């Protein structure tokens, strides 16, 4: 670990823990105080824009974002909030991205994707850290192994998002992940419908105050259901966020409509406290904003592909 990252991260982690405790104690006032402080300290235009927007949405005391943050500090453990938040927000999107942009190399990316169990995965994660990448999305396509858990634990400064079918998230699997504070589990659904297995998996992780959400792969036929009030109300009972991805058959018109509705939902046009994300469009926007190219790094077995599209 680089000494400059180590020292800066230690200070940021201390502030992170303090912020979680302050917000848990006095949510409304403390959240506004921290957002205002970050807006003053922000240096880059993208950071200033983000915190100015946060100040705007928090002007209303009935903002859904207050409910989301309150649920976050109540439902997810403090160590997990800080580990994932610092790994993604500081290590990756501030420290890592600043060095990637300074290098002017077009082959570097802030994000890598891969498949659990790929030979050489640990070496790939270590190599990515040497090139300032601290975020991975990994697809779990076989039962979780000790080797994969060892990768998570060997790289505590990297944020891992684990994409898994509900049936794979057994009690044994969740127990193995329980002490990996740098892992966010994405429950993989192929349409906007909660199966009994998905509900059971989400409940197991909520009981352990783990960080989990849903990722729903949408096609033309079911995209309209993604904003059904009953569907949103149900998933809100199990998670704080949901990511929508596109199947290859989605038309360009439907893709644009989906993105527009996701962006609109962040302006609180939905009445339930759920944060919606757009896998392809948000990934592309963030990559173009933070890096000199929009490429995504990969670590895949020969002949295999990642289960989600990496561009729109």
């Amino acid at each position: 670990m680089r000494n400059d990252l180590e020292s800066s991260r230690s200070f940021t982690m201390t502030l992170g823990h303090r912020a979680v405790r302050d917000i848990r104690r006095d949510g409304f006032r403390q959240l506004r105080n921290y957002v205002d402080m970050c807006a003053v300290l922000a240096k880059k235009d993208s950071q200033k824009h983000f915190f100015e927007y946060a100040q705007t949405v928090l002007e209303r005391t009935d903002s859904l974002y207050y409910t989301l943050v309150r649920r976050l500090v109540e439902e997810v453990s403090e160590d997990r909030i800080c580990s994932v938040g610092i790994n993604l927000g500081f290590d990756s999107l501030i420290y890592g991205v600043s060095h990637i942009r300074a290098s002017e190399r077009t082959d570097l990316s802030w994000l890598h994707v891969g498949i659990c169990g790929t030979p050489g995965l640990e070496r790939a994660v270590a190599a990515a850290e040497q090139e300032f990448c601290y975020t991975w999305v990994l697809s779990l396509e076989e039962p979780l192994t000790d080797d994969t858990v060892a990768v998570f634990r060997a790289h505590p400064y990297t944020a891992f998002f684990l994409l898994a079918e509900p049936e794979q998230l057994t009690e044994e699997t969740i127990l193995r992940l329980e002490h990996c504070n740098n892992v966010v589990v994405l429950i993989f659904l192929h349409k906007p419908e909660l199966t009994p297995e998905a509900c059971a998996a989400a409940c197991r992780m909520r009981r352990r105050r783990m960080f989990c959400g849903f990722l729903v792969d949408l096609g033309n036929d079911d995209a309209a259901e993604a904003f059904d009030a009953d569907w949103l109300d149900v998933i809100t009972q199990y998670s704080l966020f949901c990511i929508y991805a596109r199947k290859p058959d989605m038309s360009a018109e439907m893709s644009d409509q989906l993105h527009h509705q996701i962006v609109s939902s962040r302006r609180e046009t939905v009445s339930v406290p759920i944060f919606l994300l757009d896998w392809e469009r948000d990934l592309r926007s963030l990559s173009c904003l933070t890096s000199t190219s929009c490429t995504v790094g990969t670590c895949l077995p020969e002949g295999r592909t990642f289960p989600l599209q990496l561009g729109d």
Side-chain angles (χ1 to χ4, degrees), residues 54-71:
Q55 287 175 310
T56 300
V57 299
L58 293 178
E59 288 176 354
R60 289 173 36 211
T61 57
D62 63 343
S63 170
L64 291 176
Y65 288 97
Y66 284 117
T67 303
L68 276 172
V69 172
R70 176 183 57 77
R71 287 185 58 201

Side-chain angles (χ1 to χ4, degrees), residues 29-48:
R29 185 177 64 182
Q30 294 297 339
L31 181 57
R32 278 300 306 265
N33 287 345
Y34 277 105
V35 170
D36 291 344
M37 180 184 71
C38 289
V40 171
L41 296 176
K43 296 180 179 180
K44 298 181 182 300
D45 289 342
S46 58
Q47 296 168 359
K48 292 178 181 178

Side-chain angles (χ1 to χ4, degrees), residues 144-282:
L144 185 68
T145 65
D146 290 339
D147 287 344
T148 298
V149 174
V151 172
F152 299 151
R153 299 184 73 111
H155 298 277
Y157 294 174
T158 288
F160 294 96
F161 293 81
L162 184 66
L163 181 67
E165 301 278 352
E167 295 78 9
Q168 295 170 316
L169 295 169
T170 62
E171 187 75 27
E172 179 184 0
T173 296
I174 291 170
L175 283 172
R176 284 182 162 185
L177 293 169
E178 184 174 8
H179 300 294
C180 298
N181 289 332
N182 56 335
V183 176
V184 177
V185 178
L186 303 176
I187 303 173
F188 194 15
L189 304 176
H190 298 279
K191 59 181 178 179
E193 178 181 316
L194 278 186
T195 63
E197 293 82 4
C199 294
C203 286
R204 291 187 190 108
M205 287 183 278
R206 281 169 58 88
R207 284 197 298 270
R208 293 173 173 81
R209 303 187 70 198
M210 295 172 65
F211 223 145
C212 69
F214 297 103
L215 190 148
V216 187
D217 207 14
L218 298 171
N220 263 354
D221 295 338
D222 47 28
E225 301 173 33
F227 294 90
D228 179 82
D230 290 339
W231 157 253
L232 293 175
D233 187 59
V234 169
I235 61 173
T236 299
Q237 299 174 39
Y238 295 95
S239 179
L240 298 164
F241 71 94
C242 181
I243 303 172
Y244 287 141
R246 296 160 176 77
K247 293 175 181 174
D249 70 345
M250 183 176 286
S251 67
E253 180 181 5
M254 183 62 74
S255 177
D256 289 342
Q257 290 178 11
L258 176 66
H259 181 66
H260 175 73
Q261 288 178 294
I262 291 172
V263 172
S264 295
S265 75
R266 298 174 193 164
R267 303 189 182 108
E268 305 185 77
T269 58
V270 298
S271 58
V272 294
I274 188 81
F275 191 69
L276 300 179
L277 294 154
D278 184 328
W279 165 257
E280 290 88 358
R281 298 283 181 91
D282 286 341

